[in-house]
Amino acid sequence: MAAEQNQKLDKQDRLLVIACGMIAREILAVKAQLGLDHLELNCLPAEYHFYPDRIAPAMDEAITEAKAQGFRHIFVGYADCGTGGHLDVVCEKHGVQRMAGPHCFAFYQRMETYRKIADDDMMSFYMTDFLCRQFDAFFIKPLGLDKHPELIADYFGNYEKLIYLAQTDDPELDKVAQMAADMLGLVYERRPTGYGDLPAGLARAAELQSH
C-alpha cells in the first residue's frame, strides 16, 4: 500500500504525454534534446491514423486512467488528426491541452508555414520518417497494393505529388520515399522539417506543469 502511494506521489510530479504511436520516436528524441527527464510517454496505437473516430474515445479512457494512477500533468500528443473536433471536447472535459493544428503533417512543417502552403499542397500525399519506415505495413499491405497494384490509380489517382517531410537526415528513408513516389506515379519532393512545432509544444507543456 505504501509503495503504491509513493508511486502516485511520484507521478504527480511527472508530465505524461499521451500521444499517437506514429510520433513516439520523435517525442522521445525531443525529450532527450530538451532534457525533459520528467516526461513520461504513453502511446495510443499508430493504426488509429486510419481510424480517427477511435482517437477521442481512446484518449478519454487513457486520460481517465492516467488521472486514477496519480498523474496531474497530462499533455495530448495529437493534433486534431481527423477527429472533427471530438478530441478537443475530450481535452476540454479533462482540462488538458494538445498539439496545435489539424494533423502532424501541419505541425511538423510549423503551423505558420503550413497555413501559407496548405492550399498549394492540396493534391499532395505526405510522408514522414515513420511512414517511410512503415510504408509496407501502413500502406502497401493494408491497401492490398502488394497483391493488386492496379488499385494504385484508384487510391492515388487524384494526387500529383509525394512530399516527404523529413524529421531526420537519413538517406535510407529518403530512398524509400523516392521509391514510393515512383511506384505511385507522383512527383517527388523532400522537405527537411525536423520536429517542427513539437519541441515548442512539449516545452510549453513542461513549463505549464512547473507553475
Side-chain angles (χ1 to χ4, degrees):
M1 189 71 176
E4 183 178 339
Q5 186 64 30
N6 287 336
Q7 284 183 342
K8 278 198 170 186
L9 289 172
D10 178 62
K11 289 177 179 179
Q12 288 180 5
D13 295 325
R14 300 183 69 79
L15 170 63
L16 176 65
V17 178
I18 305 176
C20 172
M22 286 179 60
I23 64 171
R25 182 189 292 248
E26 288 70 29
I27 288 177
L28 292 176
V30 172
K31 172 184 176 178
Q33 184 183 88
L34 299 182
L36 301 177
D37 297 332
H38 63 297
L39 185 155
E40 191 165 323
L41 177 62
N42 178 29
C43 287
L44 300 184
E47 66 181 26
Y48 286 1
H49 175 79
F50 293 119
Y51 309 101
D53 59 306
R54 300 181 186 179
I55 296 173
M59 182 61 68
D60 189 10
E61 183 178 343
I63 295 175
T64 299
E65 183 178 344
K67 286 185 173 180
Q69 292 174 354
F71 286 103
R72 294 187 304 171
H73 310 288
I74 299 171
F75 182 72
V76 172
Y78 276 87
D80 178 74
C81 297
T83 68
H86 290 292
L87 184 58
D88 284 333
V89 173
V90 172
C91 290
E92 185 176 354
K93 170 186 174 181
H94 291 284
V96 300
Q97 295 187 1
R98 66 166 174 86
M99 284 296 301
H103 40 63
C104 66
F105 307 124
F107 69 66
Y108 274 146
Q109 298 182 85
R110 300 185 184 276
M111 282 305 302
E112 184 177 348
T113 298
Y114 178 74
R115 291 188 187 98
K116 298 175 182 177
I117 61 175
D119 289 343
D120 291 337
D121 283 356
M122 191 68 68
M123 308 301 289
S124 298
F125 178 71
Y126 287 128
M127 289 187 69
T128 62
D129 282 14
F130 175 90
L131 293 175
C132 285
R133 292 189 184 96
Q134 303 294 331
F135 187 66
D136 284 344
F138 260 68
F139 288 106
I140 299 299
K141 292 180 180 178
L143 296 178
L145 300 181
D146 52 336
K147 297 179 179 178
H148 300 283
E150 68 275 8
L151 294 175
I152 288 176
D154 294 330
Y155 288 125
F156 297 94
N158 291 325
Y159 290 104
E160 297 174 351
K161 183 188 296 187
L162 184 149
I163 301 175
Y164 170 32
L165 308 175
Q167 282 71 69
T168 56
D169 188 12
D170 186 332
E172 293 304 312
L173 297 184
D174 197 27
K175 287 179 184 177
V176 173
Q178 178 70 70
M179 176 275 296
D182 293 342
M183 185 186 74
L184 301 178
L186 303 176
V187 175
Y188 179 61
E189 179 183 340
R190 183 184 189 276
R191 292 182 188 168
T193 65
Y195 301 121
D197 287 335
L198 189 58
L202 294 178
R204 190 160 49 247
E207 183 180 354
L208 289 174
Q209 178 213 6
S210 65
H211 294 309

